[in-house]
Amino acid sequence: MNTRYYYNPIDCACKSVVGGVKAGEELQINLFYLKAEEIVEKLLVNNPSNFIEPDENAYLILAKDGQKNKYLPMERTSFGWQINLKIHEIGLYFYAFSIENKGLIMQHDCGVGYFSSKFAREFILTVSSPGYKTPDWFKGGIIYQIFPDRFCKLGSMPDIPNRIQREWGDQPYFLPNKAGKVLNNDFFGGNLQGIRSKIPYLKDLGVSVIYLNPIFEAASNHRYDTSDYMKIDSYLGTEEDLDELISTAKSQGISIILDGVFNHTGDDSVYFNKYGRYPSVGAYQSKNSSYFSWYSFKNYPDEYSSWWGIDILPELNEHSPEYQEFIFGEKGVLKNWLKHGISGYRLDVADELPDFFLKKLRKSVKEANSDAIIIGEVWEDASDKIAYSTRREYLLGGELDSVMNYPLKDAIISYSISGNALNLLTVLHSLIDHYPKETLDSLMNILGTHDTARILTVLGEKHCSNKNEMAKTSANLTEEERKRAITRLKLAVVLQYTMPGVPCIYYGDENGMEGFIDPFCRKCFDWTNLNVELINFYKKLGVIRNKYREIFKTGKFEPIYCEKGLFLYKRANDFEEIYVYTNNSSNIYSLNLNGKFIELISDSIVKDKFDVKPYSYAIFYKIKKEKALNA
């Protein structure tokens, strides 16, 4: 493969603004021309003797999504070609390079440009609005996700019809009833007061944000089938309990964000009222209902649009003015709970919510609190996501602040099991290149959620073919499998805590909880049997992340070395540097250190040379230069 041409979009020597740009922002793009074909290392760019002035003309081929290509001539330079430009219209753009009489330079692994082939694709450029800004308070922190029914219980549950009360720690129900439905109506009684009682524990973990799965009244234990957006579920507590939780958390520097489920409600709700359990006249009961426009009926009343065809989750009509007012209005859902002091929302199934709806949602949230965070559930690269045949506009400045980082999750897991560092670097490269920096620093970096198998079970490579097998004790990891999985988990968490974005702990992962897919990933936290050693490891990383928060908050990410199982990279700002390596291989490497470093996990001093042992990791800190004194 011809490598005489060097272009790497996350190398600032090639692209002056790494990642997305803002409309009207100056952008310089440099395409380097080497004297001879060779593998290009980043340091070569700093040595002019490696390059020559070309004879051929080159063009930047640029096109906004859905529009025709524009061929923009590039200026010849002593090192290759250069172009300066400003793009004034927000949107998603695609680009490549054309070398006269030679062909196209496009993107391959890790984004580096080569001549076009069947593996090549165009580079991506996200152009967001000039005023796009994400909350600074969120960046550099640590999120802790809580499934409220299963985290901590204080007191007893009230008696509510159609709910089954369970003993803490029992196996969640997973079998369907006679009608073939899994009702999710077994409750263990985790509540807001229980969460509040564990604020000191979360503080010790270094947590700065608690993300709560739905807390509003609903028929199921997961509460994604909302019954009443304006009422806290009785099993969880009251508005006063929420206020106390918010206040206690705030006193410890911890913010609360809620799950916003705005694509569908439950059929057993104030608004749909299929079973007539609420005093309201629901959309199912009458076409004259004030909620009728909220839903889309195909054959009234029993045929209606529902989420993925699940009839207990009737879909909401986002075009309904009445529904929009209920969500976005001054007395609407979003502003009501923001007035209680929450710090933002995670949006369930964000790709089911149309762009116009997300824009109105952002406007409503930011009117109430300009510093509130809005995180979307998006499972793919959110920059070029297509949903329902429409290119989405999540990251152009008018919709989301952040998304759940499933691509990085999958890449970290793959690397932690296989040792394939190149795939991890490729995914990271893509995220850094495609996302605006404002989004990149706010990404919700997950290893597991309520929708996925427990990370420890995944890393233990335990497999079952059905839920009956998953429920058996034989599905638990053996002692040997668990030991291997914890070793892999520690390596994965080091990556999670030091890469761009904000790490999110799914409750109990730090305690070594196991479990396959729903509902086995939603078991009760075992407070009587704590894995102190693993919890302390998370605490240590929390201390490191909080002490050097400024680096992790907005610091640049620079890959240094990637080969087989070894991955070495740097996080840095203008004053400080942190180097991180993970070695998921049996190979031994030597690092030549320029100066004195502190290895932060072991609190040891290292200098000159460091031997990288097999299946190990480390975080090195070095001061670059003294901060300037404030005037």
Side-chain angles (χ1 to χ4, degrees), residues 165-415:
Q165 297 186 7
R166 305 291 307 285
E167 289 296 320
W168 194 262
D170 285 353
Q171 180 83 270
Y173 289 155
F174 65 93
L175 293 172
N177 62 11
K178 293 180 180 180
K181 292 184 177 181
V182 178
L183 299 179
N184 293 302
N185 64 343
D186 58 327
F187 289 79
F188 291 85
N191 52 27
L192 298 178
Q193 287 290 357
I195 297 171
R196 181 169 172 256
S197 73
K198 297 300 180 181
I199 291 296
Y201 169 81
L202 299 177
K203 178 69 175 178
D204 284 346
L205 283 176
V207 169
S208 59
V209 180
I210 296 172
Y211 153 46
L212 297 176
N213 287 116
I215 63 172
F216 306 130
E217 183 174 292
S220 72
N221 52 48
H222 56 69
R223 299 187 176 93
Y224 282 96
D225 52 340
T226 311
S227 295
D228 190 338
Y229 286 105
M230 292 299 196
K231 183 181 178 184
I232 305 296
D233 192 276
S234 298
Y235 273 5
L236 291 177
T238 64
E239 285 191 18
E240 289 73 20
D241 291 325
L242 177 63
D243 292 341
E244 288 180 359
L245 172 60
I246 293 170
S247 177
T248 302
K250 185 177 180 180
S251 71
Q252 298 300 312
I254 300 174
S255 301
I256 307 287
I257 62 175
L258 300 183
D259 221 327
V261 187
F262 304 127
N263 169 259
H264 51 266
T265 65
D267 60 350
D268 187 9
S269 66
V270 172
Y271 321 106
F272 202 73
N273 208 9
K274 187 174 184 177
Y275 311 104
R277 294 192 181 117
Y278 288 88
S280 60
V281 178
Y284 181 86
Q285 297 166 303
S286 172
K287 292 184 179 181
N288 294 321
S289 167
S290 58
Y291 305 114
F292 180 74
S293 71
W294 289 26
Y295 302 93
S296 298
F297 291 90
K298 301 171 185 176
N299 185 14
Y300 188 81
D302 290 316
E303 293 184 23
Y304 47 87
S305 297
S306 58
W307 186 70
W308 285 46
I310 303 171
D311 62 1
I312 65 169
L313 299 175
E315 277 189 323
L316 289 156
N317 173 21
E318 292 91 356
H319 292 273
S320 165
E322 292 81 8
Y323 176 58
Q324 289 183 25
E325 179 63 22
F326 177 75
I327 298 296
F328 307 139
E330 287 302 316
K331 296 182 179 180
V333 174
L334 295 172
K335 292 184 177 179
N336 176 68
W337 298 109
L338 285 165
K339 288 175 183 176
H340 281 264
I342 68 164
S343 297
Y345 292 94
R346 176 266 191 187
L347 303 180
D348 184 54
V349 293
D351 53 358
E352 308 276 351
L353 301 172
D355 287 312
F356 79 84
F357 189 86
L358 289 175
K359 288 179 172 64
K360 290 187 175 183
L361 185 149
R362 183 180 183 86
K363 182 175 183 295
S364 177
V365 168
K366 299 297 184 178
E367 282 176 351
N369 179 2
S370 61
D371 232 10
I373 189 79
I374 304 172
I375 304 169
E377 180 193 6
V378 180
W379 287 56
E380 304 83 11
D381 184 326
S383 64
D384 62 349
K385 164 88 174 183
I386 295 177
Y388 300 99
S389 302
T390 300
R391 182 81 70 184
R392 302 310 303 268
E393 301 177 2
Y394 301 132
L395 308 181
L396 301 185
E399 297 185 8
L400 305 177
D401 291 317
S402 171
V403 292
M404 300 176 75
N405 200 351
Y406 277 94
L408 182 61
K409 164 191 169 290
D410 294 340
I412 290 177
I413 289 173
S414 176
Y415 166 72

Side-chain angles (χ1 to χ4, degrees), residues 14 20 241 248 270 276 326 351 383 424 431 441 457 474 492 514 578:
C14 296
D241 291 325
T248 302
V270 172
F326 177 75
D351 53 358
S383 64
L424 176 57
L431 295 173
D441 293 330
T457 298
S474 59
E514 299 179 32
I578 278 181

